[in-house]
Amino acid sequence: MSQYRAVKGTKDIFPVEIVSWKHIESVIQKVAGLYGFQEIRTPVFEYTELFQRSIGTTTDIVGKEMFTFRPEENGRSITLRPEMTAGVMRAFIQGNLAAAAPVHKLYYIAELFRKERPQAGRQRQFSQFGAELIGASSPEAVAETIGMMMQVFADLGVTGLRLRMNTLGDLDERMQYIRALKEYLEPYAAELDEPSRERLDKNPLRILDSKNPEIQAMIAGAPKLRDFLGVSAIEEFEKVLRYLDEKGLTYVIDPLLVRGLDYYCHTAFEVVSPELGAQDAIGGGGRYDGLATQLGSKTEVPAVGFAVGMERLLITMEKQGLLQHLEPGGPQVYIVLQDSALTAHAVTLCDALRKAGIRTLMDLAGRSMKAQMREANRISAAYALFVGESEMQTEVYGLKNLSTSEQESLSIQEITRKLAPSNSAQ
Ligand code: HAM
């Protein structure tokens, strides 16, 4: 019979990898706490209209990448979340958080789903950590959000990342620009490649993002978004940049940076990792002041946020050698039995030690003493506890420190005193 395999574009995360995930998650939690972001969890699926309305029907995500289904015949269509911002904003409005405080800082570590062609750093189920600052999008709010993202990278030791910054102006300014861009590109329609031709009608801004050198050459002569922006949009952006300078963050201004989701206005940003191949964006975000009203809020709610791909972060850290030193915490004690007739006694010892808060394991497969010792070393147990007939009688056991090979004879009370969390650094 053929074996079952995980669905294309999904991955199992085994215990050896969990150590790296936990390490990253703990740094995220620490930094989020420093900046006053609190965790939010929202459902894995939402009504499909939520994503259509927020991300935009002409985007790649909504156009072709969503996992959508109808649980009931003729029922409402549901979609596995392809990103978090829409769901978080929906929760913010539905939970009436605005009534409690004007500004909310929320973060998440969550699984997302996009029906993309799987390749290195691109999966159909992937994870993001992200943050949404809802209720303010002043330059200091934008800079603080970017600052928190960059601090996570810094605290993880990641180097060589490039922060790309741009401003998209407000909706009117952008619409005018899109018209001008379309007018400029239409005469070239026949020369455009397939994806860009498709975008010309639906989402011309995204053509600016093309990696095709011929398209890039064509775009070089196109009207510039900057020329369509009013003084206030430019001043706002410059303030953001000044704050980034003050924080000591380096960035490049990239006038061609447009994001793949429709809800952005003014500042947009992306972080690129040198360790990733074609899919080199490790994170991105921006301001999205119009989203709340689009999703039914009666009042305008300024907001700014970002999300970072956890798998791409892991690939980057792996390549920079930042994960090797992480080791799963082995047990403190591995009980080594001389004879399987003593198993019942070992079960009791295990219970006693665990009750005292000591991480304890014993053999569960009737293996030889030699095999048990090998196992204790393999799982990096700190101590081996030898149990034989005479130990059972005297209730004094050999406790061997597996890194120094020193051995002591101790009662269970003495072992507990030595190893229990409140008494030792173990
Ligand atoms: P996004 O640029 O679509 O933005 O995704 C953010 C990050 O998620 C990307 O830079 C990438 O690292 C990762 N990512 C996206 N798709 C995949 C995939 N198929 N496989 C692996 N990683 C992937 C957003 O999702 C916005 N919600 C960010 C945001 C938050 N904007 C405001 N607030």
Side-chain angles (χ1 to χ4, degrees), residues 83 85 114 116 121 123 128 132 259 263-264 281-283 305 309:
E83 61 104 48
T85 311
R114 295 185 193 176
E116 295 190 81
Q123 296 175 201
Q128 285 180 347
E132 313 293 352
R259 304 267 302 129
Y263 47 63
Y264 293 110
I282 192 168

Side-chain angles (χ1 to χ4, degrees), residues 297-370:
S297 165
K298 291 194 183 64
T299 49
E300 294 227 343
V301 183
V304 53
F306 71 84
V308 168
M310 291 286 279
E311 290 78 4
R312 293 186 193 178
L313 178 56
L314 275 151
I315 295 172
T316 302
M317 290 183 67
E318 174 92 66
K319 293 212 172 142
Q320 296 190 349
L322 298 168
L323 300 174
Q324 276 100 316
H325 67 288
L326 302 171
E327 280 180 16
Q332 287 162 271
V333 173
Y334 192 90
I335 296 182
V336 177
L337 283 184
Q338 253 168 26
D339 184 334
S340 59
L342 302 166
T343 300
H345 188 66
V347 169
T348 318
L349 283 178
C350 259
D351 284 345
L353 292 171
R354 285 173 187 158
K355 276 201 185 105
I358 299 165
R359 300 190 306 276
T360 310
L361 289 186
M362 62 176 275
D363 176 43
L364 301 173
R367 281 177 285 192
S368 69
M369 218 176 134
K370 203 164 146 207

Side-chain angles (χ1 to χ4, degrees), residues 61 65 82-86 108 112-116 119 121-128 130-132 259-261 263-264 269-271 276 279-288 304-313:
I61 298 179
E65 294 171 1
E83 61 104 48
M84 284 296 285
T85 311
Y108 48 82
L112 293 315
F113 306 86
R114 295 185 193 176
K115 209 188 298 165
E116 295 190 81
Q119 63 183 88
R122 191 160 77 186
Q123 296 175 201
R124 291 187 158 191
Q125 177 179 334
F126 62 99
S127 301
Q128 285 180 347
E132 313 293 352
R259 304 267 302 129
L261 306 95
Y263 47 63
Y264 293 110
F269 52 90
E270 218 155 72
V271 180
L276 300 170
Q279 303 303 317
D280 63 354
I282 192 168
R287 255 174 83 174
Y288 52 94
V304 53
F306 71 84
V308 168
M310 291 286 279
E311 290 78 4
R312 293 186 193 178
L313 178 56

